[in-house]
Amino acid sequence: MRNLLMGSFFLSLAGSIWGAMFIAVRLSIFVIPPVPLVWMRYGTALVALFVLMLVTRPSWYIAPKDRKCLVAVALIGQVASIVTQETGTMLTSAQAGSVITAATPAFMVVFGCVILHERFTVGRALSVLAATVGVLFIVFDPDHFEVHALGGIFLTVAAVTWALMSVLVKFLAHYSVITVTFYAVLVAFLALTPYALHWLLCRADPAAMTDPSIWGSVLYLGFVSTTAGFCLWNKGLSYMDASIGGLFLFFQPIVGTVLGALFLDEPVTAYFGAGFALIGAGVVLAMRGGNTTAAEKLARQGKGK
């Protein structure tokens, strides 16, 4: 139970940080396109992560057998998922992005069962269903809900790839969270550099980028959303099964909806109260289901031999 509470705290905080992220993306995405925006976000985050590495002094070493997994985490989660998420958000709306990426926990349950052999129970299925319906209640408004077909595809890809990354990162749980996050962001930054530099040198509008809302958004995305958010997410997942941890992504649309109403005058649906109750019920169901115990994991491994 202590592990569940600790993991719940870290994952809830990460989800809340990412809820505010949608505000920053919407403020900057029409001046800085998705790939350069993600690149700037990661460049900013690398500064903070490097300082954290020096201050906390975790090991810099990653065993050769784990390096392929680390690169996969970076390319699937930090590159594919984040770029497609921001592209989809640009093409649709914050509401549509919240609805479609709300499918992430369901994919995490599937990947957790297939890849990590986590148990699949009726309680977990019901928790995902309740929380998903709760998110739909919160963000669905017939007068403002818009889905662009291509944007919807991008957001679906973002949901699937983030779920896969969240499961794969469990294989790196024996390393420092800061170390894993630093190397994953570094790989993603290097992968995006050629295109981002081309845009910066040939297409960028320097005058528009000096607007405080633009560079302020980039700083938030780098220091808070990436550095703090990714570290908290990876740390939270180390305390519980991936299939349970995914439920805490539902804090993202709650915070995004509240901040959107406060700062962007976006309407809050009449279903917000019911949606919040359903999300709370989903999280409680997930926590009552508990983690897969060590004995169960050993028993399953023994059966598989």
Side-chain angles (χ1 to χ4, degrees), residues 34-259:
V35 172
L37 181 60
V38 175
W39 180 76
M40 292 180 185
R41 169 182 177 175
Y42 290 163
T44 305
L46 281 173
V47 175
L49 288 166
F50 184 73
V51 172
L52 282 174
M53 292 286 286
L54 294 179
V55 172
T56 60
R57 297 183 179 181
S59 173
W60 293 77
Y61 180 74
I62 299 292
K65 65 183 180 64
D66 293 323
R67 291 172 188 171
K68 288 183 179 180
C69 182
L70 179 61
V71 171
V73 165
L75 296 180
I76 293 170
Q78 275 67 46
V79 176
S81 184
I82 302 302
V83 170
T84 53
Q85 173 185 279
E86 296 190 0
T87 303
T89 301
M90 179 183 68
L91 293 174
T92 57
S93 65
Q95 290 89 348
S98 298
V99 170
I100 297 172
T101 55
T104 296
F107 292 119
M108 286 180 69
V109 170
V110 175
F111 287 133
C113 293
V114 173
I115 298 176
L116 300 178
H117 307 294
E118 295 175 354
R119 60 180 178 178
F120 183 82
T121 66
V122 174
R124 290 188 180 186
L126 289 176
S127 69
V128 172
L129 178 62
T132 301
V133 174
V135 169
L136 294 176
F137 265 89
I138 288 175
V139 301
F140 182 76
D141 186 336
D143 295 328
H144 298 90
F145 187 79
E146 300 176 1
V147 176
H148 183 282
L150 183 59
I153 293 173
F154 275 119
L155 290 168
T156 302
V157 172
V160 174
T161 49
W162 187 260
L164 179 57
M165 182 280 295
S166 295
V167 170
L168 292 177
V169 81
K170 296 282 285 184
F171 291 107
L172 304 172
H174 51 289
Y175 295 106
S176 163
V177 170
I178 298 174
T179 301
V180 172
T181 306
F182 174 78
Y183 282 126
V185 171
L186 177 61
V187 170
F189 178 79
L190 295 175
L192 297 173
T193 292
Y195 181 89
L197 282 180
H198 173 75
W199 176 86
L200 192 64
L201 296 173
C202 302
R203 301 182 183 181
D205 183 353
M209 292 172 61
T210 60
D211 187 289
S213 67
I214 303 301
W215 57 259
S217 295
V218 173
L219 291 177
Y220 178 85
L221 291 170
F223 289 132
V224 182
S225 182
T226 301
T227 305
F230 286 1
C231 286
L232 288 167
W233 182 254
N234 292 341
K235 183 66 174 178
L237 287 177
S238 70
Y239 284 100
M240 61 178 65
D241 287 352
S243 52
I244 292 178
L247 265 296
F248 294 89
L249 270 180
F250 289 117
F251 280 87
Q252 176 177 300
I254 293 175
V255 174
T257 299
V258 172
L259 293 180

